[in-house]
Amino acid sequence: MPSGLVALALGGFGIGLTEFLIAGLLPQVASSFAVSEAAAGWLISGYALSVAVGAIALTAATARLPRKAVLVGLVALFVVGNLLSAVAPSYPVMLLGRIVAALCHGSFFGIGSLVARSLVAPEKKSRAVAVMFAGLTLANVLGVPFGALVGERWGWRAAFWAVTVIGVLALAGIAALVPDGAGETRSPTMTVTVTGQSGPAPTDGLRAQFRAFRSWQVWLTLTATALSYGGMFGAFSYIAYTFTEVGGFSPTDVAWLLMVYGVGLVVGNLVGGRAADHDRDRALVLALLGLAITLAVFGLLAANATASVVLLFLMGLFGFASVPGMITRVTDFAHGAALAASANVSASNIGNALGAWLGGLAITAGLGYTAPLYVGAGIVLISVIVMAVAARRAKSPPQHAEHCM
């Protein structure tokens, strides 16, 4: 494993911790700043919205800069944001710190995925992306309990100081271990091959970055990403209610149940990366179909405690098995455009918001706490159809498979 990949994974771990640990610290933060639970909740929702905006804005703004330098700058922004949160004298400053830290999130994973795949042989590109995202999935497992443990023992500020230190280590690692020129776009006179088709590699200019969105395959992949995330996180957003109100678990069980889900994410990420390197489109369709079936069966068996735990693990496994393949797919058809890779992160966050909204509507309509699982299954099933169409179009002649204008 190239040492640069380890540095990227450490950066992903730190960014993931920042995203997830706040959930275990909200009561302390709300009490510290004397704000309501709803106001404290903006530390989560404001972060998510900033991820979606920053992924596009920062990637576009840095389109002509060397990708290693951009990654170093993004991690530096992450460090500043968490430092602001750690020392925040008031709630507005705390919220500002969260927003600043979130701005780097999407661009880091978008640009970082291009750098990661450039560090290995072409036949291992999805596995390289999976290694980078392993930091994020580990953070999902450890984030909430880490925040709760550190916060309980040393106070919520200590958790943000710890993440700031991780960010500094990641920054130093990327600066020292990622080779200069890693992930750079090739000359416009060269070509890149996508599933047997060749096309001109774009320059680093912003216009060339946007030109990547002329491809139907890019839009189909972004749509499939948004729908798959929307289905999974739409169900996951209300999973605590499903367990306590339907499955008979106590509220204290929710923490370890979430860790089961996180372990599924870690396994799915690594398995999905390897499968995508073997037969990407087939692996993606199967992963999405597996997620749709898992969510539907989960809805049927939610009252069974043992089945619920197994299905929660499978939900995480199938849910993240598609992530490495989706990222390499969208960047392949975008011919290495970093903006397309970052747009994939934005699409996932938009899907998260859509899924959570639809799941909440189902509960409000009186359909019960298993309703988000069925809603999620339906959303992911649409994603399966979109991905199947994309795979079929990819086998068509290039003039039909590649461009929409």
Side-chain angles (χ1 to χ4, degrees), residues 18-20 22 41-56 95 98-106 345-354 356:
T18 296
E19 180 178 16
F20 299 120
I22 189 65
W42 272 102
L43 297 174
I44 296 176
S45 54
Y47 184 97
L49 291 173
S50 298
V51 169
V53 173
I56 301 298
L95 181 59
R98 292 287 292 166
I99 291 172
V100 170
L103 288 174
C104 78
H105 184 126
V345 180
S346 287
S348 67
N349 279 271
I350 291 170
N352 291 354
L354 174 65

Side-chain angles (χ1 to χ4, degrees), residues 10-401:
L10 181 61
F13 178 67
I15 291 174
L17 277 182
T18 296
E19 180 178 16
F20 299 120
L21 66 78
I22 189 65
L25 299 172
L26 271 186
Q28 289 187 42
V29 174
S31 175
S32 177
F33 292 125
V35 297
S36 67
E37 291 85 352
W42 272 102
L43 297 174
I44 296 176
S45 54
Y47 184 97
L49 291 173
S50 298
V51 169
V53 173
I56 301 298
L58 288 185
T59 304
T62 58
R64 291 187 177 276
L65 300 178
R67 286 175 178 168
K68 176 182 175 179
V70 172
L71 286 177
V72 170
L74 290 171
V75 178
L77 189 66
F78 165 79
V79 170
V80 170
N82 281 283
L83 186 59
L84 270 177
S85 296
V87 302
S90 63
Y91 173 76
V93 176
M94 176 71 175
L95 181 59
L96 176 63
R98 292 287 292 166
I99 291 172
V100 170
L103 288 174
C104 78
H105 184 126
S107 292
F108 177 85
F109 285 108
I111 296 171
S113 65
L114 295 174
V115 173
R117 57 184 285 170
S118 74
L119 300 178
V120 299
E123 66 272 12
K124 295 181 180 180
K125 59 189 177 185
S126 293
R127 273 173 279 184
V129 172
V131 169
M132 189 190 75
F133 271 83
L136 178 64
T137 56
L138 284 172
N140 198 299
V141 178
L142 301 175
V144 175
F146 171 84
L149 178 63
V150 174
E152 180 181 348
R153 180 160 297 189
W154 296 291
W156 65 266
R157 293 182 188 275
F160 285 96
W161 277 113
V163 176
T164 300
V165 171
I166 292 173
V168 171
L169 293 175
L171 190 154
I174 292 171
L177 301 176
V178 173
D180 293 334
E184 297 301 325
T185 306
R186 284 173 281 185
S187 164
T189 60
M190 299 179 68
T191 60
V192 290
T193 301
V194 183
T195 59
Q197 304 162 24
S198 295
T203 63
D204 288 325
L206 187 56
R207 182 178 297 178
Q209 294 280 322
F210 278 108
R211 194 180 300 132
F213 292 93
R214 295 173 60 186
S215 167
W216 274 117
Q217 289 293 340
V218 169
W219 285 107
L220 288 170
T221 309
L222 292 176
T223 301
T225 293
L227 291 170
S228 62
Y229 268 85
M232 178 173 68
F233 283 101
F236 181 73
S237 296
Y238 304 96
I239 203 70
Y241 295 103
T242 305
F243 278 121
T244 56
E245 303 299 325
V246 181
F249 289 92
S250 71
T252 56
D253 290 325
V254 172
W256 70 262
L257 288 168
L258 293 181
M259 292 189 70
V260 170
Y261 172 76
V263 172
L265 294 181
V266 174
V267 175
N269 175 56
L270 297 176
V271 172
R274 182 172 291 273
D277 280 333
H278 178 67
D279 187 338
R280 185 169 58 199
D281 282 358
R282 184 170 184 269
L284 289 173
V285 171
L286 290 177
L288 295 175
L289 184 59
L291 178 59
I293 293 172
T294 297
L295 292 173
V297 174
F298 200 162
L300 292 172
L301 302 180
N304 184 302
T306 302
S308 292
V309 174
V310 174
L311 289 164
L312 183 66
F313 171 80
L314 293 177
M315 180 176 158
L317 188 151
F318 285 118
F320 229 79
S322 64
V323 171
M326 286 292 192
I327 291 178
T328 57
R329 193 179 200 281
V330 78
T331 50
D332 274 353
F333 280 103
H335 300 302
L339 194 59
S342 296
N344 200 68
V345 180
S346 287
S348 67
N349 279 271
I350 291 170
N352 291 354
L354 174 65
W357 176 64
L358 291 175
L361 285 181
I363 293 175
T364 302
L367 300 179
Y369 290 113
T370 59
L373 290 163
Y374 293 120
V375 171
I379 295 173
V380 177
L381 188 58
I382 299 173
S383 180
V384 174
I385 296 171
V386 172
M387 192 64 243
V389 170
R392 184 176 181 85
R393 288 181 66 93
K395 296 178 181 178
S396 303
Q399 64 269 27
H400 299 300

